Amino acid sequence: MILTVTLNTALDLTYHVPALTPHAGHRVTEVRERPGGKGLNVARVLAALGRETVVTGFAGGPTGALVRELLASAHQTTAAPHDALVPIAGSSRRTVAVVDGTTGDTTQLNEPGPAVTPQEWTAFLDAYGALLRDAEAVALCGSLPPGIHVGAYAELVRRARSAGVPALLDTSGEPLRRGIAARPDLIKPNAEELAQLTGAREPLRATRDARRRGAHAVVTSLGPKGLLALTPDGVWQATPPEPMRGNPAGAGDSAVAGLLSGLVDGLDWPGRLIRAAALSAATVLSPTAGDFDREVYESLLSRITVTESP
């Protein structure tokens, strides 16, 4: 089983409008709602790939109840992750994505999330420890809700390491800075998050700096240019044959799903990067985070270029 952690779970709302114009009213042509947050997006892609996946984190209030209801109902019709979310008193956040039908661009609005009490954090740690016993790998994803200490991911990485479970960390800012010092097996920042961490804008230099800070391996999202990986086995870049135009929301989460499934399947690094880059690119063509165009994904598997750097 693959475990994903989303401490700041959300209900994702996607509005489609013919064209997004500032300072104007808009008639919404389509509304979609689904469980969200980076770890849930990762889990949805893993489940679509046929992997047994469990999601944990926090869910509370009417929004959290709807998130859990949607997770349960997904099992009625399709492959979906299993719900091991921990209940809290506060109400889970919502995120709103507005998709411009003319340009295909997406505008994202993210709420901060509910306050989590020390007692709720302790209950989560107990649940997390129990879930690690059956996990083949764990992804620690996204922002921290209010009330969670900034070193939370470092604590979760250390607990995974003690349990012998490979840990992938995908967050940003100070939680990433603290978490990387706990020596996760892999971090997966995008170029901007990496620049904020290291102060370097040149991707390879920034990736080397990040690895020196404690990560066993670093895979950086380069947007349309693919993925750059610095690992104990070498340095590689995986590049799609052409840029994909569409909604980039969730593309990084799909890359995480590709990297984790490749790890569990025992693929070498080039193989993991091909899968991750193909999933990421195929997600750009989907209007909703956590989905990917399967036909595009399968066609890209043979068309991703992986080059090794000295």
Side-chain angles (χ1 to χ4, degrees), residues 199-222:
R201 290 283 173 181
E202 197 284 312
L204 183 55
R205 178 181 176 186
T207 302
R208 292 187 189 279
D209 188 334
R211 186 160 183 257
R212 283 195 294 268
R213 293 168 184 255
H216 190 64
V218 180
V219 176
T220 305
S221 295
L222 301 177

Side-chain angles (χ1 to χ4, degrees), residues 159-213:
R159 288 178 180 240
R161 287 174 58 84
S162 295
V165 178
L168 184 154
L169 178 59
D170 185 13
T171 187
S172 60
E174 192 61 23
L176 175 59
R177 191 180 307 275
R178 299 285 186 93
I180 199 172
R183 302 188 63 79
D185 294 86
L186 174 62
I187 64 169
K188 209 273 329 141
N190 60 36
E192 182 58 33
E193 291 164 346
L194 194 63
Q196 292 174 3
L197 174 70
T198 66
R201 290 283 173 181
E202 197 284 312
L204 183 55
R205 178 181 176 186
T207 302
R208 292 187 189 279
D209 188 334
R211 186 160 183 257
R212 283 195 294 268
R213 293 168 184 255

Side-chain angles (χ1 to χ4, degrees), residues 104-116:
D105 293 335
T106 300
T107 300
Q108 192 86 15
L109 304 173
N110 298 322
E111 295 180 359
V116 177

Side-chain angles (χ1 to χ4, degrees), residues 45 80 110 149 172 195 234 255 260 269:
V45 174
N110 298 322
H149 64 95
S172 60
L260 271 186
W269 274 105

